[in-house]
Amino acid sequence: MNVVVTCVGPRADRPAAVWQRVLYASHPTSPRNTSRIPCLCLKLAVSFHRESCVFFVGKKHRVSCEEHEGCAEVMQECSVGLTCFLTSRCPCKSSVMDVLRPTLISIGGRVYRKNIVQEQVQQQEEEEDFYTGPSDCADEPCDAFVVEETEKGFQCRVAVPSPFYKYIIGKKGETKKRLETETRTSISIPKPGVEGEIVITGQQRGGVISARTRIDVLLDSFRKKQPFTHFLSFALNQPVIQEKFLQFKEEVLEKCSQDHGVSSSLFQNPAKLHLTLGTLVLLNEQEIQRACDLLQECKEDFVDQITGGKPLSVEVAGVEYMNDDPAMMDVLYAKVHMKDGSDKLQVIADQLVERFVASGLMLREWDRVKLHATVMNTLFRKDPSGAEERSSTVTGKSSFKERESFNGRNILKLFENFSFGEVRLDAVLLSQRYSSDASGYYGTAGRLLLH
């Protein structure tokens, strides 16, 4: 057994910091040689007064969960009242520590938590007996998909966009081989660039189900990392709105151009003014068709009932910003609300997103859709053609590092109640990113008519 002793007590003279030590006892290697420690990503990050620390082995080596992709962190409360993050399901198969009732040791006036780390070999022995028979599917979602019984055993088909094949295959086919070995199945994948289905076959139903579940997890993980390709939107590029927007742009540059970061490159393309409901990653024609079909289902199920078969009359007025400091803005947007004061627009937006999230075509970003029309965005400095929306799945980390914020205090003060006009919304559009139609708006892959 390897005993990890961690000091978590804050020093009295620095109450806002957390000081930690990691001591390895009964370990066959020297503390200086960290390469042979059974599980480097088995760590306990203690958060205290919003300041987080991580383990350090010896004096130099940082133990971080980032060293192993795929580690899931489970938040728990430990008995000493600090928030703890415990890594579980580590790829190096470390055990889950129980932090609810840890053994506490007092050494030199400090309180230490004693954590027991199990040897790796014990977990490997359990893995060998994981697939023992049909009962394997007891903990699997057996009814989540269709498993057919064939003359040679069982078979399951899964539709996968061709860009994802490489993630299932892995480097030199390692991922596919590991899946087949661990689930005792055979996985057939179409040729690169050819749209089709991945076919899983095996002697045991539980093995086929497990392989399918693992593939679904892989696909979900990699889909989250893809930049979005489409988004649901209401077009706000009607002539009256464009005219008022250009007036807003002219007056801002006239009165606030001396403020830090304010320039003409920040403003949205007036032809692409829109209200975004949610973003999607649609990687082939089949997924685009699924999204179009779902839009029509939503129209029949609840949209027509809410709108009464009539367009929504809205007013675009007032400006607001996204972040906390008006002197360091990245996004300034115009507010959109129903003229009659009702919440119809909000209800439609929320229910559409709810339905698309449930279908797996969209990822949930917020509890409610934030109804806003971006008018200024620091992303536009790098993408003058019109970057779509502020989103964690849109720009990536590198883009955010390159953003130069602007001071929007005067803009808020002078244009807080600026009216961009009134408009009737008659359709929800499935818009394609990085595209334009004849009017200059985004290309449309599908639409839901409100009338």
Side-chain angles (χ1 to χ4, degrees), residues 203 205 226 250 252 301 312 408:
Q203 295 293 322
R205 186 171 187 271
Q226 302 298 313
E250 181 181 350
V252 168
D301 291 348
L312 300 176

Side-chain angles (χ1 to χ4, degrees), residues 7 14 20 26 37 64 82 86 109 138 142 169 191 218 220 238 286 294 305 338 346 403 406-407 422 430:
C7 171
R14 296 192 66 182
Q20 310 181 70
S26 303
I37 294 175
S64 171
L82 300 178
L86 174 64
C142 299
I169 297 172
K191 294 181 180 180
L218 281 174
D220 182 64
Q238 293 80 357
Q286 290 78 9
L294 187 55
Q305 182 178 355
M338 292 288 298
Q346 185 70 60
R403 298 177 77 160
F406 64 95
N407 186 343
E422 301 175 359
L430 178 59

Side-chain angles (χ1 to χ4, degrees), residues 125-181:
E125 292 173 354
E126 293 177 5
E127 284 284 306
E128 292 176 0
D129 297 328
F130 187 78
Y131 300 106
T132 57
S135 60
D136 289 344
C137 71
D139 295 327
E140 302 282 359
C142 299
D143 297 327
F145 33 74
V146 177
V147 178
E148 301 174 351
E149 187 170 3
T150 65
E151 295 179 356
K152 298 182 179 180
F154 296 89
Q155 177 179 282
C156 182
R157 296 175 177 271
V158 51
V160 178
S162 58
F164 282 161
Y165 294 166
K166 60 183 178 181
Y167 300 122
I168 307 301
I169 297 172
K171 185 178 181 180
K172 296 181 179 180
E174 292 177 358
T175 302
K176 178 175 177 289
K177 291 176 183 177
R178 186 174 68 251
L179 284 171
E180 291 177 325
T181 300

Side-chain angles (χ1 to χ4, degrees), residues 4 21-24 30-35 37 39-40 54-64:
V4 183
R21 289 181 181 176
V22 175
L23 303 176
Y24 279 81
S30 165
R32 295 182 181 178
N33 181 11
T34 61
S35 62
I37 294 175
C39 179
L40 290 182
V54 295
F55 282 140
F56 284 79
V57 178
K59 296 181 179 179
K60 296 181 179 180
H61 189 87
R62 177 173 177 171
V63 181
S64 171

Side-chain angles (χ1 to χ4, degrees), residues 101-355:
R101 294 183 177 85
T103 301
L104 301 180
I105 304 174
S106 179
I107 303 176
R110 294 189 178 187
V111 178
Y112 293 78
R113 179 186 300 108
K114 179 180 178 182
N115 300 320
I116 305 299
V117 183
Q118 296 182 355
E119 291 288 356
Q120 204 172 4
V121 65
Q122 295 181 5
Q123 192 73 7
Q124 289 176 336
E125 292 173 354
E126 293 177 5
E127 284 284 306
E128 292 176 0
D129 297 328
F130 187 78
Y131 300 106
T132 57
S135 60
D136 289 344
C137 71
D139 295 327
E140 302 282 359
C142 299
D143 297 327
F145 33 74
V146 177
V147 178
E148 301 174 351
E149 187 170 3
T150 65
E151 295 179 356
K152 298 182 179 180
F154 296 89
Q155 177 179 282
C156 182
R157 296 175 177 271
V158 51
V160 178
S162 58
F164 282 161
Y165 294 166
K166 60 183 178 181
Y167 300 122
I168 307 301
I169 297 172
K171 185 178 181 180
K172 296 181 179 180
E174 292 177 358
T175 302
K176 178 175 177 289
K177 291 176 183 177
R178 186 174 68 251
L179 284 171
E180 291 177 325
T181 300
E182 294 180 353
T183 61
R184 298 177 184 176
T185 59
S186 175
I187 301 173
S188 176
I189 301 176
K191 294 181 180 180
V194 178
E195 297 296 338
E197 295 179 319
I198 290 179
V199 181
I200 308 166
T201 57
Q203 295 293 322
Q204 299 176 355
R205 186 171 187 271
V208 173
I209 290 174
S210 182
R212 168 63 190 269
T213 302
R214 293 188 183 198
I215 288 176
D216 284 347
V217 171
L218 281 174
L219 295 176
D220 182 64
S221 174
F222 288 113
R223 184 177 287 275
K224 290 177 180 178
K225 298 177 182 179
Q226 302 298 313
F228 76 83
T229 60
H230 296 74
F231 56 101
L232 297 181
S233 73
F234 282 107
L236 295 175
N237 64 342
Q238 293 80 357
V240 61
I241 301 294
Q242 288 198 49
E243 182 179 348
K244 294 291 289 186
F245 170 77
L246 291 174
Q247 177 187 336
F248 168 79
K249 177 180 178 180
E250 181 181 350
E251 293 183 12
V252 168
L253 292 177
E254 178 184 343
K255 300 176 182 179
C256 307
S257 60
Q258 299 303 312
D259 295 341
H260 174 75
V262 175
S263 70
S264 60
S265 64
L266 292 174
F267 292 85
Q268 173 68 281
N269 179 345
K272 292 185 179 295
L273 286 168
H274 66 278
L275 177 66
T276 297
L277 305 185
T279 59
L280 306 94
V281 177
L282 306 177
L283 299 177
N284 57 24
E285 290 300 324
Q286 290 78 9
E287 291 190 341
I288 293 174
Q289 188 58 52
R290 279 183 60 201
C292 293
D293 292 343
L294 187 55
L295 275 178
Q296 298 311 310
E297 292 177 14
C298 291
K299 173 179 173 63
E300 298 171 3
D301 291 348
F302 60 86
V303 173
D304 283 346
Q305 182 178 355
I306 296 173
T307 65
K310 299 178 181 179
L312 300 176
S313 296
V314 302
E315 182 180 9
V316 184
V319 293
E320 189 56 88
Y321 60 104
M322 287 291 188
N323 53 308
D324 297 328
D325 187 357
M328 296 290 289
M329 286 188 191
D330 282 320
V331 177
L332 184 77
Y333 62 90
K335 294 182 284 188
V336 183
H337 57 268
M338 292 288 298
K339 281 188 61 179
D340 61 8
S342 70
D343 62 350
K344 290 181 180 180
L345 181 59
Q346 185 70 60
V347 172
I348 290 175
D350 289 339
Q351 291 194 22
L352 280 172
V353 169
E354 187 71 32
R355 185 66 66 88

